[in-house]
Amino acid sequence: MAKLKVDGIEIEVPDHFTLLQACEEAGAEVPRFCFHERLSVAGNCRMCLIEVKGGPPKPAASCAMGVRDIRGGPNGELPEVFTNTPMVKKAREGVMEFLLINHPLDCPICDQGGECDLQDQAMAFGIDSSRYTEDKRAVENKYIGPLVKTEMNRCIHCTRCVRFTTEVAGIAELGLIGRGEDAEITTYLEQAMTSELQGNVVDLCPVGALTSKPFAFTARPWELGKTESVDVMDALGSAIRVDTRGREVMRILPRVNEDINEEWISDKSRFIWDGLKTQRLDRPYVRRDGRLQPATWGEAFGAIKAAVAATSADKIGAIAGDLASVEEMYALSELVKALGSKNLDCRQDGAALDPSLGRATYLFNSTIAGIEQADALLIIGSSPRYEAAVLNARIRKRWRRGGFPIGVIGEGGELRYDYDYLGAGTDTLADLASGKGSFAEKLKAAKNPMIIVGQGALTGANGADVLANAAKVAVDCGVVKDGWNGFSVLHTAAARVGGLDLGFVPGEGGKNAAEMVSGMDVLFLLGADELDLSAKATKCLVYIGSHGDNGAMNADVILPAAAYTEKSGLWVNTEGRVQMGNRAGFAPGEAREDWAIIRALSDVVGKKLPFDSLGALRKQLYAAHPHFADVDAIAAGNGEDIVNLAKKAGKMASSGFTPAVKDFYLTNPIARASAVMAECSALARNNFKVAAE
């Protein structure tokens, strides 16, 4: 720790702090454009100037000077800095004047207007006139993809975007070329950026040089209602803010959550919102004469009632989709159980995860933030870059610090960091489980070793054996021990952990998802669209969901439901953290919240559920599963469950691990309804073809 005085206030801060951070700890406001807490120091905007007592007779850049770089007085006086002296004020006014020499004063038509750091700081620290009358510099706009819009005349060369893509995203796609007045930020070859995190440069840009292309010229910030919620595009549960105007979602932005997403979100999470407007189900439908036709709620419920009455309990089943909230899964499971059936499944992909084995066997036990404490990593059957882009950035963050060997079993590919490719599938895992291979020694030598098991390794006939063998590697290599549990299952579906916690899996003698598709008379799909329904033999397929996707196309009865931004719900992320999503708008037309649909249906089929409100449902849910009541908390798994699972390890059939996510941009019904995601997907496929050639 280091002691110093800031504007006469004595403070103590960690000795790695910059003077800018120390000043903020003391409550002083220091303007900045290039400095960002999560990026390296550039020191090129010079806006954060301060005065150092006893230092040089000129202002110092506080972002580039550490608290260890200044000295106290000759008699033991503390080092002292000032942030509001006449020297500092004049220096900042001069810097602002320079920045505005070439900046176009087009605030009325700039999408950044109202959220612009340059605008705010010009008001607070600038002056009301300029001594420069020369023509302003003009810079040609650059095409950098369908997500980020450029107005490079506004660029002040803070290089935040360059440092983000290089350091956090892990690909050098943006850079500063030229010198002097010819300097400009570009993608070099003026091609679309390929990072799954590129949209974050919009938030980082302190001026209007980089803005959101889909959001451009649609709304002003002060017109929007702002709702804090959680993202469901992957299983991380990133903290987001949903901005709406009326009933329409206009944009989605990240919120800071150090435990999960820091302050980043993936492009799918950020730009999915146009898919919330298209291909929506806004009224019930019933299939008559081979065609889906509009119906009333009474007609739709009547068709379901007749189908249920005409079959037996063992021919009724339910499958929960990847975006479902805990409340609606709980309501559906209670209804199906009341009908006498044990046919439930929340694992559309057939992943071999079973809550009876213990919660630790399907959680990301190290936690997302815990990646930074790990010192060796084995990835089995997963591509974190596509399955959880923000988590992949956290892995890269740890890798950049050094001393972090990474081994991959599976397809590999470009992960944005270096790794040792160990093998393609079960044969390599079997060798590791038997103690062979140098990477097993690296895991054993590490203090906090970690294993990430992806869904790509857990599907198929080998899934249960792969999970058990991965657990054996974890136990043998010290991944699970007192004070540390590095055995981490990375999910791809936001609903999966919540469903497993609820026990939304087949009961004794019950059928799994694949068996239900071909063996049920009445099958409820709760937003389940990732199933192969080509072999369905269901007499009455009931789809409860928000979009006209695969499930709706094959349904006999469609009950229109709310999307994730249109309901309050609980989701449990991959690490087991319970999170609350809030309603930002209302569902279109006759669509209703899923739990309310199921409650109304239960009355019609004669199995009325004992709740009439969301509060009553949650009260019953919390009584049955108390850990759901602890929002933003993790009920940790028991490491003994992994030890017991390891004892079941046996011989695996030889096979390779295929990735769970084949197209990052089109993983769910909302994404497939999005024109922006479709364009990104097409670009990604073209880039892959070019790279392959």
Side-chain angles (χ1 to χ4, degrees), residues 113-269:
E115 296 177 320
C116 177
D117 292 348
L118 183 64
Q119 205 174 49
D120 296 341
Q121 293 185 34
M123 287 292 292
F125 303 102
I127 52 176
D128 62 353
S129 60
S130 174
R131 290 167 286 179
Y132 293 91
T133 58
E134 291 84 355
D135 292 339
K136 292 182 181 289
R137 181 184 76 145
V139 182
E140 186 178 341
N141 291 332
K142 307 294 187 296
Y143 171 76
I144 60 175
L147 303 180
V148 182
K149 182 175 180 287
T150 61
E151 290 285 348
M152 302 315 291
N153 283 335
R154 302 170 186 159
C155 181
I156 60 171
H157 302 156
C158 70
T159 68
R160 278 186 180 182
C161 56
V162 176
R163 284 175 284 148
F164 172 82
T165 55
T166 305
E167 297 166 13
V168 179
I171 182 166
E173 291 190 306
L174 286 175
L176 183 72
I177 63 170
R179 293 174 66 86
E181 72 169 12
D182 295 324
E184 54 185 284
I185 303 286
T186 178
T187 54
Y188 303 115
L189 300 178
E190 296 194 28
Q191 293 179 336
M193 291 196 289
T194 61
S195 171
E196 294 75 29
L197 297 167
Q198 61 182 277
N200 291 289
V201 301
V202 172
D203 297 332
L204 287 171
C205 185
V207 296
L210 302 175
T211 56
S212 171
K213 190 174 282 188
F215 178 69
F217 310 122
T218 58
R220 285 297 199 182
W222 53 84
E223 300 175 336
L224 304 175
K226 300 169 178 63
T227 306
E228 294 186 351
S229 191
V230 295
D231 174 54
V232 299
M233 292 298 111
D234 54 31
L236 294 191
S238 299
I240 59 171
R241 193 186 84 195
V242 181
D243 288 1
T244 54
R245 184 172 60 190
R247 299 171 70 101
E248 188 176 358
V249 175
M250 303 301 294
R251 65 176 178 178
I252 294 173
L253 299 175
R255 290 186 293 119
V256 175
N257 188 327
E258 299 293 349
D259 293 327
I260 301 174
N261 59 308
E262 298 182 294
E263 62 186 78
W264 321 123
I265 54 173
S266 73
D267 294 339
K268 185 165 54 177
S269 303

Side-chain angles (χ1 to χ4, degrees), residues 108-448:
I109 62 154
C110 177
D111 256 6
Q112 201 85 348
E115 296 177 320
C116 177
D117 292 348
L118 183 64
Q119 205 174 49
D120 296 341
Q121 293 185 34
M123 287 292 292
F125 303 102
I127 52 176
D128 62 353
S129 60
S130 174
R131 290 167 286 179
Y132 293 91
T133 58
E134 291 84 355
D135 292 339
K136 292 182 181 289
R137 181 184 76 145
V139 182
E140 186 178 341
N141 291 332
K142 307 294 187 296
Y143 171 76
I144 60 175
L147 303 180
V148 182
K149 182 175 180 287
T150 61
E151 290 285 348
M152 302 315 291
N153 283 335
R154 302 170 186 159
C155 181
I156 60 171
H157 302 156
C158 70
T159 68
R160 278 186 180 182
C161 56
V162 176
R163 284 175 284 148
F164 172 82
T165 55
T166 305
E167 297 166 13
V168 179
I171 182 166
E173 291 190 306
L174 286 175
L176 183 72
I177 63 170
R179 293 174 66 86
E181 72 169 12
D182 295 324
E184 54 185 284
I185 303 286
T186 178
T187 54
Y188 303 115
L189 300 178
E190 296 194 28
Q191 293 179 336
M193 291 196 289
T194 61
S195 171
E196 294 75 29
L197 297 167
Q198 61 182 277
N200 291 289
V201 301
V202 172
D203 297 332
L204 287 171
C205 185
V207 296
L210 302 175
T211 56
S212 171
K213 190 174 282 188
F215 178 69
F217 310 122
T218 58
R220 285 297 199 182
W222 53 84
E223 300 175 336
L224 304 175
K226 300 169 178 63
T227 306
E228 294 186 351
S229 191
V230 295
D231 174 54
V232 299
M233 292 298 111
D234 54 31
L236 294 191
S238 299
I240 59 171
R241 193 186 84 195
V242 181
D243 288 1
T244 54
R245 184 172 60 190
R247 299 171 70 101
E248 188 176 358
V249 175
M250 303 301 294
R251 65 176 178 178
I252 294 173
L253 299 175
R255 290 186 293 119
V256 175
N257 188 327
E258 299 293 349
D259 293 327
I260 301 174
N261 59 308
E262 298 182 294
E263 62 186 78
W264 321 123
I265 54 173
S266 73
D267 294 339
K268 185 165 54 177
S269 303
R270 182 186 297 269
F271 296 106
I272 198 77
W273 50 267
D274 71 312
L276 293 166
K277 308 172 190 177
T278 54
Q279 297 185 21
R280 290 302 302 268
L281 300 172
D282 59 358
R283 65 177 69 177
Y285 288 85
V286 175
R287 190 175 295 275
R288 301 189 185 101
D289 302 322
R291 295 184 60 188
L292 283 168
Q293 298 181 16
T296 65
W297 281 101
E299 291 170 342
F301 284 169
I304 299 170
K305 180 181 180 180
V308 169
T311 189
S312 57
D314 63 331
K315 290 292 185 178
I316 300 172
I319 303 173
D322 293 348
L323 308 184
S325 70
V326 170
E327 290 91 342
E328 61 212 47
M329 286 191 287
Y330 177 70
L332 183 57
S333 67
E334 290 297 293
L335 173 59
V336 171
K337 289 173 184 175
L339 291 170
S341 175
K342 296 180 179 179
N343 302 316
L344 295 165
D345 207 347
C346 64
R347 306 160 302 183
Q348 288 187 89
D349 53 8
L353 296 166
D354 189 344
S356 67
L357 297 173
R359 199 164 188 253
T361 64
Y362 60 82
L363 290 187
F364 200 91
N365 293 289
S366 69
T367 73
I368 297 166
I371 292 171
E372 297 188 31
Q373 276 70 59
D375 47 8
L377 172 63
L378 173 64
I379 300 174
I380 302 173
S382 175
S383 177
R385 175 185 164 191
Y386 298 116
E387 295 170 20
V390 175
L391 181 140
N392 199 56
R394 184 86 74 152
I395 295 174
R396 175 177 165 77
K397 179 181 179 182
R398 173 62 189 89
W399 171 79
R400 290 183 71 232
R401 285 182 9 222
F404 191 52
I406 301 174
V408 172
I409 302 176
E411 282 202 354
E414 174 55 65
L415 296 181
R416 308 303 195 204
Y417 39 79
D418 296 335
Y419 60 84
D420 297 326
Y421 183 70
L422 306 178
T426 53
D427 293 342
T428 307
L429 179 59
D431 288 342
L432 275 177
S434 60
K436 299 176 184 176
S438 60
F439 203 82
E441 298 304 318
K442 292 180 181 179
L443 288 174
K444 291 176 183 176
K447 181 181 178 183
N448 293 328

